[in-house]
Amino acid sequence: MIEFSVSEKVLKKAEEKAYDMGTFRGSILNGKGNVSGFIGEIILADILNAEIQNTFDYDLVMQDGSKIDVKTQTVKSVPKPYYECNVNEHSIKQRCDYYAFTRLHSNLSKGWYLGKISKGKFLDVAKYCKAGSASANFIFKLNCYTIPIKELEI
């Protein structure tokens, strides 16, 4: 896990991108997660030396051409290795090569790059959870696949 700070420059860029994007129909947080999502993408582009593409299917393209969909979750505490990373069932159809996961502190001052995993491996090892079911202190709002942070590669 790699901790990072969120600079004013990154925050401003993420806010501009979120404003330009607006709210997607069916957004779980009604667009409120857009700034956090863009912060995760901007930071990971730097950490992974990737180019931001922002398509429906993926967010970043690596130097080798592999495509990464970035999943960012806002939290109030430092993630632990046994915490889980989730991909909603409807996102599985996206054409990407990897999922990369970040957590962002709710005050938007810092975050953590948790790691990445190939989409194929993720689907092989992830646990399927139905909407309304619980894992630890978390209740799933949608059907999703979940994997512990410790299973990811930095």
Side-chain angles (χ1 to χ4, degrees):
M1 178 167 49
I2 299 171
E3 185 172 323
F4 57 82
S5 296
V6 179
S7 69
E8 282 297 318
K9 180 180 176 183
V10 167
L11 180 58
K12 182 175 170 62
K13 185 175 181 180
E15 288 172 338
E16 289 169 357
K17 291 178 84 153
Y19 177 80
D20 290 344
M21 184 176 80
T23 302
F24 283 133
R25 188 180 65 218
S27 171
I28 296 171
L29 300 174
N30 295 317
K32 293 180 181 155
N34 294 352
V35 172
S36 300
F38 283 122
I39 289 172
E41 291 171 19
I42 294 164
I43 295 289
L44 279 193
D46 185 51
I47 290 173
L48 300 174
N49 192 26
E51 181 182 335
I52 296 175
Q53 292 283 317
N54 256 147
T55 73
F56 173 79
D57 292 311
Y58 53 88
D59 302 307
L60 307 176
V61 177
M62 298 286 289
Q63 296 295 316
D64 66 2
S66 58
K67 298 166 180 73
I68 300 175
D69 191 35
V70 178
K71 302 296 184 186
T72 300
Q73 183 179 2
T74 304
V75 296
K76 294 182 179 177
S77 62
V78 178
K80 306 283 189 227
Y82 57 88
Y83 287 8
E84 296 175 334
C85 295
N86 308 317
V87 176
N88 293 327
E89 183 177 43
H90 70 268
S91 295
I92 295 299
K93 65 183 171 222
Q94 292 171 296
R95 293 175 302 209
C96 61
D97 301 307
Y98 290 91
Y99 293 117
F101 299 90
T102 65
R103 297 279 166 93
L104 186 63
H105 194 278
S106 59
N107 67 14
L108 306 182
S109 67
K110 65 181 176 180
W112 301 269
Y113 167 48
L114 307 175
K116 66 181 181 357
I117 186 169
S118 74
K119 182 178 178 180
K121 183 174 180 185
F122 178 84
L123 293 173
D124 285 344
V125 300
K127 178 176 73 174
Y128 182 75
C129 299
K130 288 192 162 278
S133 65
S135 180
N137 294 328
F138 184 80
I139 296 178
F140 297 100
K141 294 180 183 177
L142 298 170
N143 295 340
C144 72
Y145 295 86
T146 185
I147 187 171
I149 291 170
K150 64 185 175 189
E151 298 292 326
L152 305 174
E153 304 166 5
I154 293 291

